Amino acid sequence: KGKAVKLIKWIGPEGYERLKMLCAPNLPIEEPYNTLKELLLNNVDPEPTVLSQRYTFSRLQQGTLSVSDWEALLRFHAAKCGYGAHYEQAVRDQFIFGLACNETRIKLLE
């Protein structure tokens, strides 16, 4: 309980109010330190959802990136999107949709 008490003191009154909401119906002091730490970390810096990752991916544009850098950027972001067996298809589609050169995009879409 010592580490939990130190954590509660360290986060201050605003942090404590948030922690109370996260622990409800229990009080923070009733929870072990590791639970409090996990609750705070997940609330302060939550993992992005697959939907938000896919939204970000779908908005990517080539801009001034080289073709190889554009593909690398897409592959990096697509890996976080949970596409599974559709990974290559998703990368291919966004590669075309986000191309800077409209003429190239039109030719690839034919």
Side-chain angles (χ1 to χ4, degrees):
K1 291 278 182 207
K3 286 175 83 173
V5 170
K6 287 179 184 178
L7 176 64
I8 290 168
K9 287 181 181 179
W10 183 79
I11 62 174
E14 288 181 27
Y16 182 72
E17 288 304 313
R18 177 171 285 199
L19 194 55
K20 275 186 6 185
M21 289 188 293
L22 296 170
C23 289
N26 298 335
L27 291 173
I29 197 66
E30 297 170 343
E31 299 292 339
Y33 169 79
N34 287 336
T35 300
L36 297 177
K37 178 181 164 187
E38 186 175 322
L39 286 170
L40 286 171
L41 289 175
N42 288 338
N43 186 261
V44 173
D45 191 18
E47 286 293 319
T49 64
V50 168
L51 183 59
S52 70
Q53 295 286 8
R54 287 183 179 184
Y55 176 76
T56 299
F57 177 74
S58 73
R59 307 280 296 168
L60 294 173
Q61 298 289 312
Q62 181 183 12
T64 59
L65 294 173
S66 69
V67 170
S68 59
D69 287 346
W70 172 228
E71 180 186 8
L73 179 70
L74 289 173
R75 289 188 178 284
F76 173 79
H77 282 279
K80 303 176 194 176
C81 294
Y83 286 120
H86 302 288
Y87 172 84
E88 291 295 333
Q89 182 181 358
V91 170
R92 180 207 60 206
D93 291 355
Q94 190 56 36
F95 182 89
I96 295 169
F97 300 156
L99 279 172
C101 180
N102 194 41
E103 291 175 12
T104 303
R105 181 182 317 101
I106 290 169
K107 286 187 187 257
L108 291 171
L109 289 171
E110 290 177 347

